[in-house]
């Protein structure tokens, strides 16, 4: 089975010391990376958990509403259940896009600098 990845480099990378890790962790660039991640992930996680709990609560306490037929044998509970899956895939896609454009370049720059490549 072939891959598109290049073979591993034969040159050895410098391993950062504990002090270098601590220094990078205190840097403004690393703080910006963490802030960018947290400002995306935490609100989205809270929103999704709230959306999921709403579905569970409606299923438990609003049986008549959830049993309302929309068309044929399709009811509100089924539509909201499918929406849970759709929401999950949309969040995964959105996060992947966010990480690829905002997080990965910053993380790669920090990694390259720590390994002595810059």
């Amino acid at each position: 089975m072939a891959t598109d990845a290049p073979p591993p480099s034969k040159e050895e990378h410098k391993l950062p010391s504990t002090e270098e890790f601590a220094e990078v962790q205190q840097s403004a660039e690393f703080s910006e990376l963490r802030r960018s991640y947290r400002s995306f992930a935490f609100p989205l996680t809270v929103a999704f958990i709230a959306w999921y709990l709403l579905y569970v609560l409606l299923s438990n306490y609003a049986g008549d509403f959830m049993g309302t037929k929309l068309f044929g044998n399709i009811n509100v509970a089924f539509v909201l259940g499918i929406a849970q899956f759709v929401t999950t895939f949309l969040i995964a896609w959105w996060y992947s896009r966010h990480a690829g454009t905002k997080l990965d370049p910053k993380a790669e720059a920090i990694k390259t600098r720590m390994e002595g490549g810059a």
Side-chain angles (χ1 to χ4, degrees):
M1 176 166 82
T3 65
D4 292 335
S9 174
K10 298 222 185 282
E11 66 185 59
E12 292 194 26
H13 293 285
K14 170 183 97 67
L15 294 177
S17 68
T18 304
E19 293 79 23
E20 290 172 315
F21 273 111
E23 182 181 319
V24 167
Q25 186 178 12
Q26 299 302 321
S27 72
E29 186 179 25
F30 189 77
S31 295
E32 173 61 26
L33 176 62
R34 264 194 329 219
R35 188 200 61 73
S36 182
Y37 168 75
R38 288 178 178 168
S39 67
F40 183 87
F42 288 165
L44 206 54
T45 300
V46 169
F48 183 77
I49 289 172
W51 158 229
Y52 175 74
L53 289 175
L54 174 67
Y55 177 74
V56 170
L57 291 172
L58 286 172
S59 295
N60 283 319
Y61 300 110
D64 291 339
F65 170 70
M66 295 295 271
T68 304
K69 294 206 184 242
L70 298 175
F71 48 90
N73 287 330
I74 306 297
N75 61 17
V76 172
F78 182 77
V79 171
L80 292 180
I82 295 298
Q84 289 285 318
F85 287 101
V86 171
T87 304
T88 301
F89 287 109
L90 285 175
I91 289 171
W93 168 79
W94 193 15
Y95 176 77
S96 175
R97 190 171 156 215
H98 173 75
T101 58
K102 303 269 195 282
L103 304 178
D104 292 347
K106 293 175 186 176
E108 187 61 35
I110 292 170
K111 176 183 173 234
T112 301
R113 193 168 41 263
M114 288 198 67
E115 290 179 342

